[in-house]
Amino acid sequence: MNNIDDHGHICIVDDDAQIRLLVSQYLRRHGYQVSAAADARSGTELLSSTTFDLVILDVMLPGRSGLDLCREIRASSSLPIIMLTARGDENDRIVGLEVGADDYITKPFSSRELLARIRAVLRRLRVDTRAANGPDGDVRTFNGWVLDQRRRELRSPAGTLVDLSTGEYDLLNAFIEHPNRILTREALLEFAKARSADTTDRVIDVQVSRLRKKLAQDDEDGQLIKTVRGVGYMFTPITDNA
């Protein structure tokens, strides 16, 4: 995004021509630039040739699925991703979050709801970026890990850059700001700004699981993020930050 007033460039990947047309027209009327693709292959080509601010990605695509494309995007980028799914089952939404999506919306959906979700995700990104680049921007260290809040980058003790989705970044920040405290799932939803109408506690469990894996702490002993059964989680770092 060039500046705070930019609406942004949205990429839509959906095999339904009517959805691509209607969503594109609606978003353009609200000031967004929109490009669209009908399948994962075309979506990959589009994403590799153009800079986007957010991707709207259908789960059910011909050939490679939207989940596969989401994994591919997340492997090298923190680009915000909103998944579209025709299924209402919670498990399908959880899978989307497990592969790195920032939000999800179930078909059929209203254009107004989709626009609200887009604005919420981009607003979170802008607020986090402004805060990190402002006077309070900081570098936080724990157990050899380094979180650069100015660059929104996490580096491992070996110096490897570890990609985080927007939700994972927000969650890690929440833990870092509240170390050695038991945080309920409800509190984490608030701190991590992960609220939406159909968000459940299980979403936090999924995000914590993903974060543990990325922190290479997915075993039950010596975890940075400890499970407090029946209550929530506790972040127990060794840190040099005041």
Side-chain angles (χ1 to χ4, degrees):
M1 289 175 243
N2 294 327
N3 60 62
I4 191 174
D5 297 317
D6 286 342
H7 289 289
H9 192 174
I10 309 296
C11 177
I12 301 172
V13 185
D14 196 306
D15 64 329
D16 188 317
Q18 185 175 22
I19 287 180
R20 292 199 308 272
L21 176 63
L22 294 178
V23 172
S24 295
Q25 290 177 338
Y26 186 80
L27 293 180
R28 287 180 181 126
R29 287 201 302 270
H30 285 81
Y32 292 90
Q33 183 178 354
V34 182
S35 299
D39 54 38
R41 181 184 60 80
S42 300
T44 299
E45 294 174 354
L46 196 56
L47 288 164
S48 65
S49 63
T50 308
T51 299
F52 290 99
D53 296 292
L54 181 143
V55 180
I56 299 171
L57 181 58
D58 188 26
V59 171
M60 303 298 292
L61 293 172
R64 293 172 57 227
S65 73
L67 296 176
D68 290 335
L69 181 53
C70 183
R71 288 188 188 95
E72 180 182 308
I73 295 170
R74 192 55 72 229
S76 60
S77 171
S78 58
L79 180 68
I81 301 170
I82 296 178
M83 300 292 297
L84 302 181
T85 174
R87 305 169 185 171
D89 185 75
E90 183 184 40
N91 287 332
D92 294 299
R93 300 198 300 270
I94 292 300
V95 170
L97 291 171
E98 285 178 336
V99 298
D102 295 285
D103 201 354
Y104 49 80
I105 187 168
T106 304
K107 296 179 180 178
F109 56 86
S110 72
S111 297
R112 289 181 62 189
E113 180 182 4
L114 178 60
L115 179 62
R117 297 291 185 96
I118 291 170
R119 285 173 170 169
V121 171
L122 292 180
R123 183 166 57 248
R124 276 169 48 194
L125 180 61
R126 285 169 172 144
V127 168
D128 289 343
T129 301
R130 289 201 303 272
N133 288 330
D136 294 329
D138 203 358
V139 173
R140 314 301 295 271
T141 62
F142 58 93
N143 294 60
W145 291 82
V146 179
L147 180 67
D148 188 331
Q149 294 172 315
R150 292 182 182 274
R151 297 177 178 273
R152 293 174 59 89
E153 291 180 349
L154 176 66
R155 291 191 179 275
S156 73
T160 303
L161 188 64
V162 178
D163 185 68
L164 297 175
S165 70
T166 303
E168 292 160 1
Y169 174 84
D170 288 341
L171 188 61
L172 180 57
N173 262 325
F175 279 129
I176 288 174
E177 294 299 326
H178 303 85
N180 301 304
R181 286 177 49 187
I182 297 175
L183 297 178
T184 65
R185 291 172 177 83
E186 182 178 348
L188 286 169
L189 287 168
E190 291 291 328
F191 289 135
K193 303 180 284 297
R195 302 178 303 278
S196 65
D198 50 2
T199 294
T200 66
D201 289 351
R202 192 176 171 196
V203 169
I204 287 296
D205 294 336
V206 170
Q207 297 282 26
V208 168
S209 177
R210 287 180 55 83
L211 195 54
R212 277 175 171 163
K213 290 176 181 177
K214 292 187 176 183
L215 293 173
Q217 295 287 332
D218 206 32
D219 58 318
E220 286 300 320
D221 297 321
Q223 288 182 342
L224 280 169
I225 304 173
K226 297 183 181 296
T227 299
V228 182
R229 295 190 182 280
V231 182
Y233 297 96
M234 179 186 291
F235 185 58
T236 58
I238 299 172
T239 175
D240 296 327
N241 295 313

